[in-house]
């Protein structure tokens, strides 16, 4: 997408030093393990907590499609890993709550590793043997003028489809055989096949009062 928007030359990849991440505990910075080997050599977790995490290879798969990140980590690795590693990781990356964010929404490949290999550790070790890298290696990027560069580029490219400063007043069912939604705005009406509401529930309820 960034290349299609012509932003490739403005992208800045994260420094290699950014691979090292730390968690503050009891006034001390603790290096977050970068892989299975680092995990078991780290002194951030107790021996008992590491042993519980090692049992991950024996934990059966889950069929719950709505499992949260915290519940996934707790089930597979134990409470300590869920609270000491996954919880701060979710706060650092998303500024969110690991107990509320669904695994399939934020870390879909972790869930896929469990389903495909029966174990996250097993998937990581197998992938490293076969490819020399973890199966979901990614590069963090930003832009020289900040992340608003992306929204500015989207507005510029799709300006004919974007209406700013327009209030949506009502959403009703579209005409039979045509669009699914008829949308009344402060600047006229329009029809659409899909409608995404990024508003609080009470606001959405008011907009959809006449939708049948």
């Amino acid at each position: 997408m960034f290349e299609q928007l012509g932003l490739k030359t403005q992208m800045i990849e994260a420094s290699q030093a950014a691979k090292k991440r730390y968690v503050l505990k009891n006034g001390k910075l603790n290096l977050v393990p970068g892989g299975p080997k680092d995990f078991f050599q780290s002194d951030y977790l107790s021996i008992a907590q590491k042993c519980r995490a090692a049992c991950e290879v024996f934990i059966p798969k889950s069929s719950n499609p709505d499992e949260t990140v915290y519940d996934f980590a707790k089930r597979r690795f134990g409470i300590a890993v869920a609270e000491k590693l996954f919880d701060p990781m979710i706060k650092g990356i998303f500024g969110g709550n690991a107990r509320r964010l669904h695994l399939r929404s934020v870390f879909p490949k972790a869930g896929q590793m469990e389903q495909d290999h029966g174990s996250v550790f097993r998937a990581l070790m197998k992938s490293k043997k076969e490819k020399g890298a973890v199966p979901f290696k990614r590069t963090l990027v930003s832009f020289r003028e900040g992340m608003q560069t992306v929204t500015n580029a989207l507005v510029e490219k799709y300006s004919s489809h974007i209406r700013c400063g327009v209030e949506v007043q009502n959403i009703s069912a579209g005409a039979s055989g045509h669009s699914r939604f008829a949308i009344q705005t402060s600047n006229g009406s329009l029809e659409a096949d899909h409608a995404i509401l990024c508003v609080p529930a009470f606001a959405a309820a008011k907009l959809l009062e006449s939708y049948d």
Side-chain angles (χ1 to χ4, degrees):
M1 181 183 76
F2 296 154
E3 291 183 7
Q4 292 175 351
L5 291 173
L7 301 178
K8 189 173 180 179
T9 58
Q10 300 182 49
M11 292 171 59
I12 303 174
E13 290 191 1
S15 167
Q16 289 297 310
K19 286 186 175 181
K20 292 186 176 181
R21 295 178 172 84
Y22 296 84
V23 174
L24 182 65
K25 180 188 176 187
N26 298 327
K28 177 186 176 183
L29 286 176
N30 298 271
L31 181 64
V32 175
K37 183 179 178 181
D38 295 335
F39 177 85
F40 290 107
Q41 290 179 342
S42 170
D43 60 357
Y44 181 47
L45 298 172
S46 69
I47 294 177
Q49 292 167 347
K50 291 178 187 177
C51 288
R52 167 59 184 88
C55 292
E56 189 269 340
V57 295
F58 303 110
I59 302 298
K61 301 177 185 179
S62 170
S63 58
N64 179 8
D66 297 320
E67 189 171 37
T68 66
V69 174
Y70 180 85
D71 288 338
F72 173 82
K74 179 183 176 181
R75 176 175 58 82
R76 296 213 62 86
F77 304 100
I79 295 177
V81 171
E83 295 184 349
K84 293 183 177 181
L85 291 177
F86 278 79
D87 192 41
M89 178 172 61
I90 288 295
K91 286 183 172 69
I93 297 175
F94 301 102
N97 188 336
R99 291 171 172 80
R100 299 185 65 182
L101 293 178
H102 288 184
L103 181 79
R104 291 191 178 185
S105 297
V106 295
F107 294 138
K109 291 193 176 181
Q112 194 61 48
M113 289 162 69
E114 176 190 34
Q115 296 303 316
D116 292 345
H117 301 278
S119 162
V120 175
F121 278 148
R122 192 179 296 125
L124 289 171
M125 291 185 286
K126 182 178 180 180
S127 179
K128 196 155 189 177
K129 281 183 180 180
E130 294 178 352
K131 307 175 185 178
V134 295
F136 54 96
K137 183 178 181 180
R138 297 178 180 175
T139 300
L140 296 176
V141 299
S142 186
F143 297 88
R144 300 184 189 284
E145 300 298 325
M147 293 304 293
Q148 189 173 339
T149 299
V150 179
T151 52
N152 289 345
L154 287 169
V155 168
E156 183 177 348
K157 184 169 183 176
Y158 299 104
S159 58
S160 61
H161 302 282
I162 297 175
R163 305 184 186 185
C164 297
V166 176
E167 178 189 2
V168 175
Q169 300 171 331
N170 180 65
I171 300 176
S172 58
S176 178
H178 296 282
S179 303
R180 291 179 59 194
F181 302 100
I183 303 174
Q184 183 65 43
T185 76
S186 58
N187 192 32
S189 60
L190 57 93
E191 293 193 347
D193 293 324
H194 302 281
I196 301 173
L197 302 181
C198 300
V199 296
F202 69 87
K206 184 176 181 180
L207 290 173
L208 295 168
E209 279 180 340
S210 59
Y211 183 79
D212 185 3

